[in-house]
Amino acid sequence: MPKYVLIMRGTDETNAAMMADLDEMMAATHRFIEEMMKAEVLVAAEGLDDPGQGVVVDFGGEVPVVTDGPYGETRELFGGYFLLDVATKQEAVEWAKRVPAVRGSKIEVRRVAGADEVPRGGESGGRI
């Protein structure tokens, strides 16, 4: 079966709203994870640390440049993900519509490429 990743995207504002009622959000997320486990579709789920604790490695110049967070625009922050093993994109979308989320946040649904879809040898031009 294909795998799909549900990428949680928020903003400074949605993150603040989530933190305002963190206990309820965590309880709702725990219930959602239990539902996915019961349905046997959950492969992995992880939340990410505060973006201010991260760094960006920028390959725009001759040498990579490392910038401490918070970095760039914070209109859409990648806050974490759910990795699902489901039959179709539509099934992944249905799960995404059930993610406990605050108003204004988004869930991006992307299919994970299978090992047979990754370029081999010289096909990638040396890039992954």
Side-chain angles (χ1 to χ4, degrees):
M1 258 199 300
K3 290 184 178 75
Y4 287 85
V5 64
L6 310 182
I7 302 168
M8 299 179 291
R9 295 194 178 276
T11 63
D12 288 334
E13 293 79 18
T14 61
N15 288 346
M18 182 181 68
M19 295 305 285
D21 198 3
L22 187 60
D23 290 339
E24 176 52 36
M25 182 58 70
M26 294 302 291
T29 301
H30 182 72
R31 289 189 299 271
F32 180 65
I33 289 171
E34 286 178 345
E35 290 175 29
M36 290 187 295
M37 290 173 63
K38 185 176 180 182
E40 298 181 351
V41 299
L42 182 66
V43 176
E46 300 287 341
L48 298 179
D49 197 4
D50 182 306
Q53 302 302 311
V55 299
V56 170
V57 180
D58 184 346
F59 292 89
E62 289 293 317
V63 297
V65 175
V66 178
T67 305
D68 289 329
Y71 46 86
E73 302 269 342
T74 57
R75 289 186 310 225
E76 289 194 0
L77 299 169
F78 177 13
Y81 70 91
F82 297 102
L83 180 61
L84 307 182
D85 193 358
V86 294
T88 65
K89 179 169 59 174
Q90 187 56 39
E91 186 178 355
V93 168
E94 291 304 316
W95 281 105
K97 288 165 43 177
R98 296 172 58 189
V99 170
V102 297
R103 178 179 228 106
S105 57
K106 297 177 183 177
I107 303 292
E108 180 180 344
V109 178
R110 305 265 306 268
R111 188 175 68 82
V112 177
D116 60 335
E117 297 175 283
V118 177
R120 305 216 190 280
E123 296 177 50
S124 69
R127 295 175 302 200
I128 295 179

